[in-house]
Amino acid sequence: MSARTTPWPLVALFTAGYLAPYLLPTTVGRLESGLPLSATQAGAVGSALLLSSAVAGFLLAARVDRIGPRTLARTGLLLAALGYGGAALTTHVPAVIAGAVVGGFGSGTLTAVAATGFAAQRDPHRVTTLGLLGVSALAGAVYLTVPHLGPGHAQPLAALALTALAVWPLTGRLSPCTAPALPRTATGGSKLPHLRSGLLLAAAMPCWSAVQNSLWGVSGRIGLTQAHLSEVTVGGVFAVALGAGLLGVVGAGALGPRLGRALPIGLGTVLIAGCVALSASATDLTTFATGEIAWNVLYPVVLSYVIGLAASLDPRGRWAVLVGSASSLGTATGPVIGSLLSARAGFPAMGTILAVGLLAVAVPLTAVALRRRTTTVATHSALTDETAVRLDVAA
């Protein structure tokens, strides 16, 4: 994909929208250490932020084209800057919570605009990998920087606000419409195509994301309390892990659709389950780093194929936004689930429970990918036969 055809404003919006979940461990950890909040309460604040993001996606799934991507993008950036910025500038707990919720709604708005735009591209998977590359690189830089800026809850929230402000100038390049209006016959009117596959995917993704963020939300505490590492060391591990994730995303982009979607999604989810169990049982740097790095290599790879699968279900991007928002629901529950499970059962038992759940949810995800591949092949075959008939008639 050339620079001329790459929708960089959409990639930037995706990066800004997805940054909040990527910074979840340090955000939750610093809310706990910098404010009078328990670990469970800090996790609940993180969940409220992500739940607000999910609500924005559900509300805007079918409205991006109607309102206009430029208007929605600027609204989302404004909410993110004001919400996260306000939360960073105060130590009053209710104000911090309110700012996190407002900022989360802004992040969800940005993600909705980006996902809708990605679905309109010729190769949604490749554009998605570019977005994941951006957010992984930026999050890695934040993890390397934050520990050196002193204690307190403000730094990760300020990073989210500043990212929103930095992306603002690019919104001038967004067109009034994400994609040209498609004929009613081509889009099936206002009805969602591939309803059964879309609903199954939307139902499975909250569970998949909940597992990921149950671990991610307490990974900082695993490193600090169970593996007995310093905050600088834990931040370094996260930065290396996110950097390794860049390699995974590059590999996924280079591989593209050669292996289909079922194998990367199914096998990748099974491998992630093993990484979750390993990371949750870590008692030293080697085990902790191995689990976190391997997991961060696999997670964005599988996520890129899932987002591409959702985008392929509807060229107007509605399934992409709905599935992304359903995923955000799972992401929102992650910090609370991880905090409760680890508090009651301990980190290793939590990891085992999460790994089993992930293995179970791999089945419907793989089934949707296989069904979509069969449908695509059948459609291509039908079009080929129709072309052949037309050539015979013309002859």
Side-chain angles (χ1 to χ4, degrees):
M1 182 176 292
S2 67
R4 184 178 59 181
T5 59
T6 300
W8 292 114
L10 294 176
V11 172
L13 290 175
F14 183 91
T15 299
Y18 255 76
L19 185 60
Y22 269 66
L23 295 184
L24 191 63
T26 188
T27 302
V28 170
R30 290 210 163 217
L31 286 172
E32 178 189 357
S33 62
L35 297 173
L37 295 172
S38 66
T40 302
Q41 290 171 332
V45 176
S47 291
L49 185 160
L50 298 174
L51 180 61
S52 179
S53 179
V55 169
F58 283 120
L59 290 176
L60 300 172
R63 294 179 171 87
V64 174
D65 283 326
R66 187 186 313 166
I67 300 173
R70 183 183 302 169
T71 299
L72 272 182
R74 288 178 173 175
T75 300
L77 291 172
L78 183 62
L79 290 174
L82 292 177
Y84 295 132
L89 293 174
T90 182
T91 57
H92 185 53
V93 173
V96 172
I97 296 173
V101 170
V102 172
F105 196 91
S107 292
T109 301
L110 300 178
T111 303
V113 175
T116 302
F118 285 0
Q121 303 299 312
R122 292 183 177 179
D123 190 349
H125 177 260
R126 181 166 294 186
V127 184
T128 301
T129 60
L130 290 174
L132 290 171
L133 280 172
V135 70
S136 296
L138 182 57
V142 173
Y143 277 114
L144 286 176
T145 304
V146 163
H148 301 285
L149 299 179
H153 74 289
Q155 289 85 343
L157 293 169
L160 294 170
L162 292 173
T163 300
L165 293 176
V167 171
W168 181 282
L170 295 177
T171 59
R173 297 171 56 187
L174 292 173
S175 61
C177 294
T178 301
L182 296 174
R184 187 176 182 83
T185 55
T187 62
S190 60
K191 294 181 180 180
L192 282 168
H194 306 290
L195 186 61
R196 184 180 302 176
S197 295
L199 288 176
L200 185 57
L201 189 61
M205 279 308 292
C207 303
W208 190 87
S209 296
V211 170
Q212 313 293 331
N213 284 278
S214 293
L215 176 67
W216 189 233
V218 299
S219 286
R221 287 165 50 205
I222 293 174
L224 293 172
T225 62
Q226 184 172 276
H228 306 292
L229 305 174
S230 68
E231 185 184 14
V232 173
T233 302
V234 171
V237 170
F238 287 158
V240 172
L242 291 169
L246 294 176
L247 299 178
V249 175
V250 170
L255 185 63
R258 291 183 180 86
L259 297 178
R261 295 189 181 98
L263 182 61
I265 291 174
L267 180 59
T269 299
V270 171
L271 294 176
I272 289 174
C275 296
V276 168
L278 177 64
S279 190
S281 64
T283 56
D284 55 43
L285 174 59
T286 301
T287 307
F288 179 72
T290 300
E292 292 291 327
I293 291 172
W295 175 48
N296 275 278
V297 169
L298 294 167
Y299 167 75
V301 172
V302 177
L303 180 61
S304 70
Y305 280 98
V306 171
I307 295 175
L309 175 60
S312 73
L313 296 176
D314 178 22
R316 292 176 60 184
R318 290 169 294 180
W319 276 126
V321 178
L322 288 171
V323 170
S325 299
S327 175
S328 295
L329 285 178
T331 302
T333 63
V336 172
I337 293 174
S339 296
L340 291 176
L341 284 177
S342 60
R344 296 185 179 184
F347 292 121
M350 176 203 72
T352 301
I353 294 170
L354 295 177
V356 171
L358 202 55
L359 291 175
V361 83
V363 177
L365 289 176
T366 306
V368 173
L370 287 172
R371 179 181 177 85
R372 179 59 181 155
R373 179 177 180 230
T374 302
T375 303
T376 302
V377 171
T379 302
H380 177 72
S381 178
L383 290 174
T384 302
D385 292 344
E386 181 182 352
T387 301
V389 170
R390 289 178 178 177
L391 289 174
D392 289 339
V393 171

